[in-house]
Amino acid sequence: MKELQKILKERHIKYYIIPTDDDHQSEMVGDFYQFRRYLSHFTGSAGTLLVGQDDAYLWTDGRYFLQAQEQLPNDITLMKMRMPGVPTLSEFLAQHLEEDDVLGFDGQVMNASFILDLEEELPFDLKFEDVDLSYIWKDRPERSHEAVYLYDDTYNGMDYKIKLEWVRDYMDANEINHHLIASLDDIAWLFNIRGNDIPCTPVALAFAIVHETTATLYLQKGTYDQEFIDHFKDNVIIKDYEDVYKDVANLNGTLLVDLNHINYQLFNHINCEFYDEPNPTQWFKAIKNETEIKNTTWAHIKDGVAVTKFMYYLKNNIQEGTHTEMSLAQKLEDFRKEQVNYIEPSFDTICAYKENGAIIHYQATKEHNSVVKPEGLLMIDSGGQYLEGTTDITRTFVLGDLTNEERRDFTLVAKCWLGLMNLKFPYGMTGVNVDTVARAPLWAYGLDFRHGTGHGVGHFLSVHEGPQGIRPFDEESVKIEPGMITSDEPGVYIEGSHGIRHENLLLCVKAEKTDYGQFLKFVPLTMVPLDLDGLDVSLLSEQEKAQLNSYHDQVYKTISPYLTKEEREWLAIYTRAI
């Protein structure tokens, strides 16, 4: 940090922004792009570091408050996003930058919209220096350049040429000549390709431009072969990754680009008329086709078998007292590896024992790896990438006696979880509209949780995708559509005591149509029992008991054929009617 601050003084840069982003504004980024983590020691997946000549600040959201408090050095001030009295990064800069001050950042990883919005907010012309200062990171890993591969249509259900026509139809309807895409999930979906350049997300580092009759895909040299080129011949030109900058600069006509999903340096190369709108592929890929739904249902059955086998193992072996958070996370991974077409985790497993569960995105390390004993609660949030689809599940396991507060909180979160999973609602509702259902049981006790209730999930892609989401505040909230997959993950986090979260993935489907219009409902994809040992049944209504019984009956019928005799007998107990 001191070395960077010395450079800022020498270059007369008042503040330097270091986001947690790559060239594509990805949510998860590779080790090459972890400059913020290197400087701040904060390992959370979301956060922005602002370094001044004599001070430093880190902005992150409620998922990471406790983690950041533990990891940040004393010379970095934690800025708790969306908390009273805490300015946003833009507000802070507007308050602290003066007319002759210089703001620095690396334009290749800086979000274009952020800088453009900041320029609008300041009462003077922003002076900035686009400079990469990460050269001070002496042992920086190299940028990932894994092989890119074709994702077979038997798994995704649609030829890439049809998808390109969808995009071109959208362009034609809006009088667009070119569409620039930098977001990796959109590119992977559109061209039916996958890769291994982002941890836990099967995408390749790439850019793309869709033209009126052709398309160009920009990939790193050495990541594809002649067979890959031949697959796209006459439809897609393959060019070098860095060529996108000069090609964008030479575009004529009109360009569609989502400024929230490109870096500032790429934006600076645009010389033609452009329209800032969300990538249409975000909408197209959010609504899963029949093949994707069939495949992801099977992926969730396999994942359900793995997690249920793990739960059986945990319940029958925890008395040994020889397990740690990390060893149990590995044990769960071992069960997933037994499943056909399992590729990798869909994110780093959160295995949090007792008070560690209160850290929403807790990560055990060699230095902080609690021994798990036959007492209290263990929360595990995990997921898998299968060729058939992406999974995400959280279960909170009871390992021994609970306090009255722990049992109450476990049950309240279950009520929230059941309420959303069994919700029926008219077409046109957004994530903001339905979020209340998943919080009301907690609100009745003066409790809440500082994260969204649900996020979209990709198909063998990112575990967090849009445009849909279920959260209390969302200026761009979109309608929930049949075919969308969304998580249902309410929680309670009591600092120093415990954390509880229950999570299923839900598929939105059509319900009945009445005089009041088309109604929708959710179908659970996740097939793993809720730990009945944690429930205070007296807090459940008769309707909630029936809902849980129905879900557990479905879990047993779906999962039991893939278990041993001993596991089936155990599962019958843990899916019994209450």
Side-chain angles (χ1 to χ4, degrees):
M1 184 70 74
K2 296 298 182 185
E3 183 179 0
L4 177 60
Q5 289 176 324
K6 179 182 178 183
I7 294 172
L8 298 184
K9 291 177 181 177
E10 292 171 350
R11 301 182 73 117
H12 303 291
I13 297 173
K14 185 168 184 179
Y15 287 110
Y16 189 78
I17 306 175
I18 306 165
T20 312
D21 281 320
D22 58 13
D23 299 38
H24 308 272
Q25 308 304 294
S26 304
E27 179 190 20
M28 298 182 186
V29 300
D31 290 341
F32 176 79
Y33 295 99
Q34 294 285 359
F35 190 39
R36 186 226 70 201
R37 182 175 67 187
Y38 168 77
L39 288 172
S40 68
H41 309 296
F42 169 60
T43 60
S45 64
T48 302
L49 181 64
L50 181 69
V51 181
Q53 296 180 4
D54 299 297
D55 52 358
Y57 308 84
L58 183 123
W59 276 260
T60 193
D61 61 58
R63 297 171 296 169
Y64 300 102
F65 289 168
L66 296 179
Q67 180 180 344
Q69 286 171 186
E70 290 184 1
Q71 293 180 332
L72 289 177
N74 294 331
D75 58 350
I76 300 178
T77 300
L78 173 61
M79 306 295 280
K80 297 181 178 181
M81 294 170 62
R82 291 183 286 277
M83 294 300 288
V86 179
T88 65
L89 175 58
S90 295
E91 290 169 345
F92 180 93
L93 291 170
Q95 294 165 6
H96 290 78
L97 286 175
E98 298 178 358
E99 189 159 1
D100 293 326
D101 292 334
V102 177
L103 178 68
F105 53 82
D106 176 4
Q108 276 196 270
V109 297
M110 177 55 63
N111 181 267
S113 281
F114 177 84
I115 296 300
L116 295 173
D117 290 344
L118 181 62
E119 287 181 313
E120 296 241 340
E121 292 174 22
L122 292 175
F124 49 83
D125 290 339
L126 176 64
K127 292 183 179 179
F128 60 84
E129 188 168 348
D130 181 351
V131 56
D132 181 6
L133 299 180
S134 61
Y135 60 80
I136 66 173
W137 186 1
K138 304 304 180 187
D139 298 319
R140 184 179 190 178
E142 65 178 10
R143 183 166 60 191
S144 178
H145 50 278
E146 298 281 337
V148 59
Y149 58 93
L150 301 174
Y151 185 47
D152 196 274
D153 291 356
T154 58
Y155 296 116
N156 65 64
M158 185 176 294
D159 187 274
Y160 79 90
K161 293 187 286 291
I162 298 175
K163 295 180 180 181
L164 281 173
E165 286 308 310
W166 280 11
V167 172
R168 291 195 178 104
D169 287 345
Y170 181 91
M171 292 166 58
D172 183 60
N174 291 277
E175 299 182 343
I176 300 295
N177 302 119
H178 316 279
H179 176 30
L180 169 63
I181 314 174
S183 45
L184 303 183
D185 56 336
D186 288 306
I187 294 169
W189 179 87
L190 179 59
F191 293 95
N192 288 340
I193 61 173
R194 297 296 189 268
N196 193 33
D197 285 330
I198 300 289
C200 304
T201 309
V203 295
L205 294 178
F207 295 99
I209 303 177
V210 180
H211 309 284
E212 291 170 301
T213 57
T214 63
T216 308
L217 183 60
Y218 301 86
L219 297 166
Q220 296 184 91
K221 291 178 180 178
T223 62
Y224 55 93
D225 56 18
Q226 188 60 44
E227 183 180 354
F228 184 90
I229 296 173
D230 292 342
H231 174 78
F232 289 105
K233 68 178 181 180
D234 301 327
N235 296 292
V236 180
I237 301 167
I238 312 297
K239 299 186 71 172
D240 186 57
Y241 182 74
E242 299 292 345
D243 286 350
V244 67
Y245 291 90
K246 66 179 182 181
D247 285 359
V248 165
N250 291 324
L251 290 176
N252 294 307
T254 55
L255 174 68
L256 172 65
V257 58
D258 185 348
L259 297 184
N260 282 312
H261 289 95
I262 69 166
N263 67 62
Y264 185 77
Q265 206 166 105
L266 187 56
F267 165 77
N268 261 347
H269 282 73
I270 298 174
N271 291 318
C272 63
E273 182 182 0
F274 69 89
Y275 297 95
D276 176 20
E277 297 289 343
N279 297 331
T281 44
Q282 284 283 303
W283 292 93
F284 297 152
K285 69 184 175 64
I287 300 175
K288 308 302 188 278
N289 61 47
E290 290 184 6
T291 299
E292 290 173 321
I293 291 172
K294 179 181 177 181
N295 277 315
T296 200
T297 299
W298 176 232
H300 280 82
I301 292 173
K302 292 191 291 184
D303 203 60
V305 171
V307 179
T308 300
K309 281 179 172 287
F310 170 80
M311 184 177 176
Y312 172 81
Y313 171 86
L314 180 67
K315 290 287 189 176
N316 286 280
N317 291 276
I318 196 59
Q319 297 299 330
E320 297 176 7
T322 58
H323 296 287
T324 66
E325 293 165 325
M326 292 181 70
S327 71
L328 286 174
Q330 183 57 54
K331 188 67 179 178
L332 176 54
E333 173 73 357
D334 291 341
F335 281 115
R336 282 196 168 104
K337 287 180 178 178
E338 295 175 0
Q339 302 301 314
V340 176
N341 287 340
Y342 174 72
I343 305 299
E344 63 179 342
S346 56
F347 56 95
D348 291 335
T349 296
I350 300 167
C351 184
Y353 181 52
K354 284 193 169 182
E355 67 273 11
N356 295 336
I359 303 173
I360 298 173
H361 275 202
Y362 170 81
Q363 287 293 316
T365 63
K366 291 180 180 179
E367 297 75 28
H368 195 292
N369 181 27
S370 296
V371 174
V372 179
K373 301 175 183 178
E375 57 188 47
L377 295 168
L378 176 71
M379 183 179 72
I380 302 184
D381 188 347
S382 67
Q385 294 285 9
Y386 299 81
L387 283 178
E388 294 89 353
T390 302
T391 72
D392 184 2
I393 171 177
T394 307
R395 287 295 183 267
T396 304
F397 301 107
V398 179
L399 304 183
D401 293 337
L402 301 182
T403 66
N404 290 337
E405 182 185 34
E406 287 172 328
R407 188 172 297 279
R408 179 204 68 183
D409 291 350
F410 186 101
T411 309
L412 291 178
V413 176
K415 289 166 71 72
C416 296
W417 174 75
L418 286 168
L420 182 59
M421 183 163 58
N422 291 279
L423 182 66
K424 186 185 294 184
F425 53 97
Y427 178 78
M429 294 296 99
T430 70
V432 170
N433 296 144
V434 304
D435 180 79
T436 302
V437 174
R439 294 179 189 263
L442 287 170
W443 289 348
Y445 285 77
L447 297 169
D448 203 350
F449 50 95
R450 292 193 179 106
H451 59 74
T453 302
H455 55 80
V457 179
H459 185 75
F460 190 44
L461 276 174
S462 174
V463 74
H464 296 145
E465 287 192 5
Q468 79 275 25
I470 300 175
R471 57 184 70 91
F473 308 106
D474 188 348
E475 294 179 358
E476 300 178 358
S477 186
V478 303
K479 290 185 293 186
I480 300 172
E481 301 274 358
M484 286 182 169
I485 295 174
T486 310
S487 68
D488 169 11
E489 49 181 309
V492 162
Y493 311 94
I494 307 301
E495 185 174 357
S497 177
H498 60 274
I500 297 164
R501 184 159 66 249
H502 308 316
E503 178 187 14
N504 277 5
L505 294 191
L506 309 177
L507 172 68
C508 181
V509 299
K510 288 184 179 180
E512 70 269 24
K513 190 172 185 179
T514 73
D515 292 342
Y516 297 96
Q518 179 67 57
F519 278 75
L520 306 178
K521 64 180 180 179
F522 293 119
V523 173
L525 293 170
T526 306
M527 290 287 115
V528 175
L530 186 77
D531 192 344
L532 294 177
D533 293 340
L535 285 177
D536 179 350
V537 179
S538 69
L539 295 177
L540 297 178
S541 68
E542 291 303 313
Q543 182 184 36
E544 289 165 339
K545 292 176 189 177
Q547 290 170 344
L548 184 56
N549 290 342
S550 175
Y551 174 69
H552 274 163
D553 181 61
Q554 184 183 2
V555 168
Y556 183 82
K557 289 176 179 177
T558 303
I559 299 300
S560 61
Y562 306 98
L563 303 180
T564 66
K565 179 177 180 293
E566 292 78 10
E567 290 167 340
R568 284 196 300 273
E569 291 173 349
W570 170 89
L571 182 60
I573 296 171
Y574 273 87
T575 56
R576 67 189 183 276
I578 58 171

